Amino acid sequence: MPHSVAGPEIERLIQLLARLPGLGPRSARRAALHLIKRREQLLGPLTEAIRVAHERIVVCSECGNVDTADPCTICRDERRDASIIVVVEDVSDLWALERAGALTARYHVLGGVLSPLDGVRPEHLNLDKLVARAARPEVREVILALNATVDGQTTAHYITELLAHMPVRVTRLAHGVPVGGELDYLDEGTLAAAIRQRTTF
Amino acid sequence: MHWSDEGLVLGARRHGESSVILELMTREHGRHLGLVHGGRSKRLQPVLQPGNSVHATWRARLDEHLGSYVIEPGATRSARFIDVPLALYGVGALAALLRLLPERDPHPALYEAATVLAGHLDDVHVAPALFVRFELVLLAELGFGLDLSRCAATGRADDLAYVSPKSGRAVSAEAGAPYRQRLLPLPRFLLAGASGRDPTAEAVKEGFALTEHFMRVHLFEPRGLDVPEERARFVAAALRAAAAPDV
């Protein structure tokens, strides 16, 4: 059994860092050492930032996004188009779409997708609030920006059925060849979907 | 330990950052789980979607270990399913029913039925009837097969119209007439030689009610389970499809 080379406080720091995505025990040691060496410039500010975040982060009661205010910054932004709601699985998807900057709409975070294997059922998702939001008179379109997986699209169809009786247009993201994608390397299913959903050039 | 087999993907659960625990219905090794290293990669993620067929090689040091899979793609159907709610709900229902099987218990006939069904789930004209037939195979494989070949009362093989909810045997229209309130209707598409293409909504409803009754009695209630939600969603979609097959 390897003996520890540092005190329990440092070992605990390493153990916690190793739980972060992308970090294993070895890279966690490197990160911990990096923080220790830059104690004033990095470790102190990081500790303070994490403490503040821990205290202030809340889930937006409107859309399910995470922020330090409720409603979140996006829901409070008057410049955003309130007639469009973009439905995403997770906050990471919301951030990805915001990075793309393709539209300035409101969002709705489901908190997952229907997944029998993981035991995720409709009642575990943020669906009631979505139906309530879609029923508002200003909402004209709901964009289902869910993953192109069987679970993601099962959830998309389930939501489409939930909203079927409402006067809103339900759309979804296109499926097909990604930018930079070479046809030779794409799976047959993606190619078939791209052919089916071809557009006029 | 080491084997290679064909498999139908039932689901994949995230494991760590880049791997998944894959659940397959294999021909010779039954419902079998295993770790796929790099299963969340761009190359493997489309392959490991439920409903796809794969060629799997499983390795483990001991038989009782989870083990790891090396996967090669077979028939990729999931992209076809994505546009068809009936197919998506069907995959979920198929997987939910196959999870009634104990792990690593081989059922080659059920594997065949599941693969044929998976290949036609996006065909709204045949999927509902195929699904009912698959459920009959499932019941038979688990020891609760129905005898729909001849009348339990008269022995006749024609004019079959009902099924006894107790014995699971077919009953002819004539013999069953006095008891028809207590018998389950036998849809025509389940009769020998009948086509399962474009059954009426009523026949689809009768077919699912028939299999649901016996699955409830023999499979779900003894385990304290309810009928899976996935099946209910599929049945609702199948009834809609049967009512308007060309929509």
Side-chain angles (χ1 to χ4, degrees), chain A residues 2 8 11 15 20-21 25 42 51 61 66-67 79 93 107 112 129 143 152 157 160 163 180 182-183 188 193 198:
Chain A
E11 285 297 329
Q15 282 172 10
L20 296 176
L42 201 54
R51 188 188 63 75
S61 57
V66 288
D67 204 338
R79 291 166 300 176
D93 299 327
Y107 289 90
K129 186 70 188 178
I143 302 174
H157 284 292
T160 306
L163 304 180
E182 295 180 32
L183 299 189
E188 297 86 347
R198 66 191 182 277

Side-chain angles (χ1 to χ4, degrees), chain A:
Chain A
M1 189 175 159
H3 66 278
S4 96
V5 293
E9 296 83 1
I10 295 176
E11 285 297 329
R12 175 148 175 78
L13 175 64
I14 293 168
Q15 282 172 10
L16 289 173
L17 286 171
R19 289 193 199 172
L20 296 176
L23 293 187
R26 192 179 283 259
S27 44
R29 277 186 187 280
R30 287 174 56 207
L33 197 56
H34 187 78
L35 289 169
I36 291 164
K37 283 180 179 173
R38 288 159 184 78
R39 186 171 172 171
E40 297 305 323
Q41 307 98 308
L42 201 54
L43 183 58
L46 181 66
T47 307
E48 180 61 12
I50 289 174
R51 188 188 63 75
V52 171
H54 179 254
E55 282 174 6
R56 296 193 188 163
I57 284 176
V58 288
V59 175
C60 176
S61 57
E62 179 74 359
C63 71
N65 187 17
V66 288
D67 204 338
T68 52
D70 183 16
C72 68
T73 309
I74 290 175
C75 289
R76 278 185 287 121
D77 189 348
E78 295 292 330
R79 291 166 300 176
R80 286 182 178 266
D81 186 350
S83 69
I84 300 175
I85 298 174
V86 184
V87 179
V88 292
E89 175 183 341
D90 195 68
V91 175
S92 60
D93 299 327
L94 186 158
W95 289 357
L97 286 167
E98 280 296 288
R99 280 201 306 275
L103 77 174
T104 53
R106 301 277 166 89
Y107 289 90
H108 192 86
V109 182
L110 290 178
V113 287
L114 297 176
S115 172
L117 199 56
D118 294 319
V120 182
R121 298 149 74 99
E123 58 266 31
H124 298 131
L125 303 179
N126 187 13
L127 288 172
D128 293 342
K129 186 70 188 178
L130 173 63
V131 173
R133 291 182 72 191
R136 291 177 189 164
E138 71 269 21
V139 176
R140 286 186 288 108
E141 182 174 0
V142 173
I143 302 174
L144 301 174
L146 299 173
N147 291 334
T149 59
V150 167
D151 287 346
Q153 293 306 304
T154 301
T155 310
H157 284 292
Y158 184 81
I159 293 171
T160 306
E161 287 172 15
L162 281 182
L163 304 180
H165 63 286
M166 294 184 179
V168 289
R169 182 172 173 236
V170 181
T171 57
R172 67 166 192 193
L173 301 186
H175 300 148
V177 182
V179 174
E182 295 180 32
L183 299 189
D184 192 24
Y185 287 93
L186 288 178
D187 67 287
E188 297 86 347
T190 304
L191 280 173
I195 289 287
R196 278 201 307 275
Q197 296 172 31
R198 66 191 182 277
T199 54
T200 306
F201 199 61

